[in-house]
Amino acid sequence: MASNTWQDKIHEIIYEADTPAGKLFDLALIASIILSVIAIMLDSIPSINAVHGTLLYKIEWAFTIAFTIEYILRIVCIKRPKSYIFSFLGIIDLLSILPTYLGLLITGQGHYLAIVRLLRVLRIFRILKLAQYLKEASILVTALHASKRKIFVFFCTVIVLVTILGSIMYIVESPTNPVFKSIPHSIYWAIVTITTVGYGDMAPITNLGRFIASIVMLLGYAIIAVPSGIVTSELTQAVKNQFTNTKSCPNCAHDSHEHDAIHCKVCGHKL
């Protein structure tokens, strides 16, 4: 029984944004995240690193250890740890501490990947009770999830298209243009052109090649509208009956429920 008491208390502090202790904890967490990201950015500046590198290294480790303890507490204070571990925020929390530890095993600048912990600031929407933003974020995630198969088909179609176009450009340009030295290089050109990026490092010099390039450029503008239309359609559908609040389930930590919800819509546990 004692175990449940301390777990419930930790859950209230860490997961709940409605209580004074929970709000204070989340505000302190966000401040720590921002300070740790600033320390990482400063460490990447050679002149600052040369003078304060050791201090910044210690600061980074201090924040990493604190975030590690917090991550462990988030796991032990809920009854279904996997629901948090494999959630979006759970994965971000883990990724935010791994780079520093990997830096002990792998030399280089991999520890700068800890900058991903800035994503944890997304919790500010719960803390400040910006319910309208939570609602919009939930709608967007729902729409993207519903669109994933259509987007996948569209992506596969584009891959086939740039492969064919790249191969055609290789046939047309390679005899006179050394830039198009292989089909993979030509596919790279097709991707850059059809996405309207246009780096300019590869360009056709034959009249036929330029004609094909013009078609690919115009095709690129037409293609851009497709994924936008897919997501917009799903967004319209996802707008219906979307309600969220900050009430967190003590069993699985899910925190998107209707305002009058009594039980968790994911695991059925009483809220």
Side-chain angles (χ1 to χ4, degrees):
M1 194 69 180
S3 176
N4 289 335
T5 302
W6 71 262
Q7 284 181 319
D8 292 342
K9 184 63 177 177
I10 293 176
H11 179 274
E12 179 182 341
I13 294 173
I14 292 181
Y15 282 102
E16 296 294 345
D18 294 328
T19 63
K23 189 169 185 178
L24 180 62
F25 173 83
D26 283 343
L27 288 173
L29 175 62
I30 287 177
S32 299
I33 293 169
I34 293 174
L35 290 174
S36 68
V37 169
I38 291 174
I40 293 172
M41 291 190 292
L42 291 175
D43 186 55
S44 67
I45 302 174
S47 59
I48 296 179
N49 180 271
V51 179
H52 304 289
T54 302
L55 175 61
L56 292 172
Y57 180 77
K58 292 179 180 179
I59 291 175
E60 182 181 344
W61 266 107
F63 281 122
T64 299
I65 292 172
F67 293 147
T68 302
I69 295 173
E70 179 226 347
Y71 179 75
I72 295 173
L73 289 176
R74 286 183 180 275
I75 293 175
V76 301
C77 73
I78 56 176
K79 297 176 182 178
R80 293 175 57 188
K82 289 183 179 180
S83 61
Y84 162 71
I85 293 173
F86 296 104
S87 67
F88 172 74
L89 290 177
I91 293 173
I92 293 299
D93 291 346
L94 178 61
L95 292 177
S96 70
I97 60 178
L98 282 181
T100 305
Y101 291 110
L102 291 177
L104 297 175
L105 305 175
I106 304 174
T107 58
Q109 299 180 333
H111 65 284
Y112 291 126
L113 289 174
I115 203 81
V116 72
R117 65 183 50 154
L118 189 61
L119 286 173
R120 304 188 68 199
V121 177
L122 292 174
R123 286 190 170 89
I124 195 172
F125 294 116
R126 295 183 65 245
I127 298 166
L128 300 181
K129 288 183 170 295
L130 301 178
Q132 65 271 30
Y133 293 100
L134 278 173
K135 180 179 178 180
E136 299 304 326
S138 176
I139 292 173
L140 180 59
V141 171
T142 302
L144 290 174
H145 185 268
S147 305
K148 63 181 181 181
R149 293 181 180 177
K150 297 176 184 176
I151 293 176
F152 177 74
V153 172
F154 168 76
F155 180 76
C156 291
T157 303
V158 172
I159 291 296
V160 172
L161 188 59
V162 296
T163 302
I164 295 173
L165 291 172
S167 301
I168 292 173
M169 284 299 290
Y170 171 72
I171 295 171
V172 172
E173 289 288 319
S174 61
T176 56
N177 192 343
V179 175
F180 292 82
K181 53 187 176 182
S182 68
I183 289 180
H185 283 83
S186 301
I187 292 174
Y188 161 78
W189 169 86
I191 293 173
V192 170
T193 305
I194 206 168
T195 56
T196 70
V197 175
Y199 289 129
D201 55 338
M202 296 178 66
I205 59 175
T206 65
N207 292 331
L208 180 58
R210 289 171 179 172
F211 175 74
I212 296 174
S214 299
I215 295 176
V216 174
M217 294 174 197
L218 295 174
L219 186 62
Y221 282 105
I223 286 177
I224 289 175
V226 177
S228 301
I230 293 173
V231 176
T232 301
S233 174
E234 295 297 341
L235 274 173
T236 303
Q237 184 66 28
V239 165
K240 300 177 180 179
N241 300 322
Q242 292 291 320
F243 301 95
T244 40
N245 60 23
T246 60
K247 188 180 293 184
S248 176
C249 175
N251 186 47
C252 68
H254 186 77
D255 61 0
S256 296
H257 300 95
E258 296 183 359
H259 292 286
D260 58 350
I262 300 176
H263 296 87
C264 176
K265 65 181 181 182
V266 175
C267 67
H269 194 274
K270 188 174 182 180
L271 299 175

